[in-house]
Amino acid sequence: MNNDFEKTLKTINDEVYKQIEYNLKPHLEETGKALETVAKNPILQKIYPWIGLQWLMYILGEVDHNKIQAHIDQLRQKYPTETPEQLANRIIQQQGIEAAKVGVFTNLIPPFALFLLGLEFSAITKLQVEMIYKLAAAYNLTLETPLRRGENFALYNLSLGGGLLKTSLSVIEIIPGIGPIVGACSDAILLYGLGYATTWLYQNTVEKNQKITQY
């Protein structure tokens, strides 16, 4: 991405961070507890694989915490000198590349692109939610807490502005030749935008915690 585009994303997502930090954060832990209650409902857990609700479970914060933590541990071993911010940038790039791959695959054959919108949405949602948790782990934050679940829900929903961009481009994505390119770019933008907002939230959380422990 060029510098102007990156600056625009950062400006937008700075506002996203402010919304979470000042307006939503006091309520996020209770929200997380409520989401966990819904996600752990035995009836929902039995039926969601059969009715295409996997994406909903991601939004509710149902991810494999052990797998995510193991991934971050491997990154730390591979890049032992990198700071949490540097690891976060690496994670955002990785998830953005994966999102671009999804965009290419689901728009490769234009006549079938419309039928694959559900698959694309679910795959991108999974990448978004996993990225939020990976970024939390990169900043050494505990994953298995109601607060993380609440933050995931808030970040995902506040990133829906990027989803509107994706929706507006859906018609273009079915055009032969340029569809896969537009699909890849729009999916990657979703991940980059959400990644910046999440990084800023967790970076500010860590800095605030450090200031508290200093007193």
Side-chain angles (χ1 to χ4, degrees):
M1 294 187 298
N2 60 44
N3 290 334
D4 290 338
F5 182 67
E6 189 169 345
K7 287 179 181 178
T8 301
L9 271 180
K10 287 185 176 181
T11 300
I12 293 171
N13 288 290
D14 188 31
E15 293 304 315
V16 172
Y17 162 72
K18 289 176 182 177
Q19 290 294 320
I20 295 175
E21 176 67 15
Y22 299 117
N23 298 325
L24 299 178
K25 199 162 188 178
H27 312 288
L28 290 182
E29 187 163 2
E30 291 303 317
T31 299
K33 290 178 181 178
L35 293 171
E36 185 173 14
T37 299
V38 175
K40 301 300 183 184
N41 183 293
I43 297 177
L44 182 61
Q45 287 193 329
K46 285 183 179 179
I47 66 172
Y48 82 80
W50 302 101
I51 57 177
L53 286 181
Q54 182 62 60
W55 59 269
L56 175 60
M57 301 304 288
Y58 296 140
I59 296 173
L60 292 175
E62 284 297 289
V63 295
D64 189 335
H65 296 128
N66 294 330
K67 183 178 178 181
I68 287 173
Q69 188 62 59
H71 176 79
I72 300 305
D73 291 341
Q74 290 175 357
L75 274 183
R76 285 202 180 99
Q77 291 175 1
K78 190 173 182 179
Y79 307 101
T81 62
E82 290 196 349
T83 64
E85 185 177 4
Q86 289 172 321
L87 286 176
N89 287 332
R90 192 176 294 280
I91 292 165
I92 293 170
Q93 290 173 8
Q94 289 176 345
Q95 298 295 107
I97 291 171
E98 291 304 312
K101 291 179 181 177
V102 171
V104 170
F105 172 74
T106 54
N107 296 282
L108 194 58
I109 306 176
F112 296 101
L114 286 175
F115 299 100
L116 295 176
L117 281 176
L119 175 63
E120 183 180 15
F121 174 76
S122 182
I124 294 299
T125 298
K126 182 176 185 288
L127 287 171
Q128 287 177 297
V129 172
E130 286 183 344
M131 181 177 66
I132 292 172
Y133 277 94
K134 285 178 180 179
L135 291 172
Y139 280 93
N140 296 304
L141 298 172
T142 304
L143 300 184
E144 297 185 30
T145 68
L147 181 57
R148 290 292 91 75
R149 196 182 288 262
E151 288 168 349
N152 166 73
F153 187 75
L155 284 161
Y156 179 84
N157 281 283
L158 285 174
S159 73
L160 289 181
L164 294 177
L165 170 65
K166 174 68 179 176
T167 301
S168 66
L169 293 174
S170 294
V171 175
I172 301 176
E173 290 176 11
I174 65 174
I175 300 176
I178 67 170
I181 298 173
V182 175
C185 292
S186 60
D187 285 343
I189 288 171
L190 280 177
L191 270 292
Y192 275 109
L194 177 59
Y196 282 125
T198 305
T199 297
W200 290 357
L201 174 67
Y202 290 144
Q203 189 168 334
N204 280 273
T205 297
V206 170
E207 289 175 357
K208 184 176 291 186
N209 290 341
Q210 289 174 343
K211 288 180 180 179
I212 292 174
T213 56
Q214 287 173 357
Y215 290 99

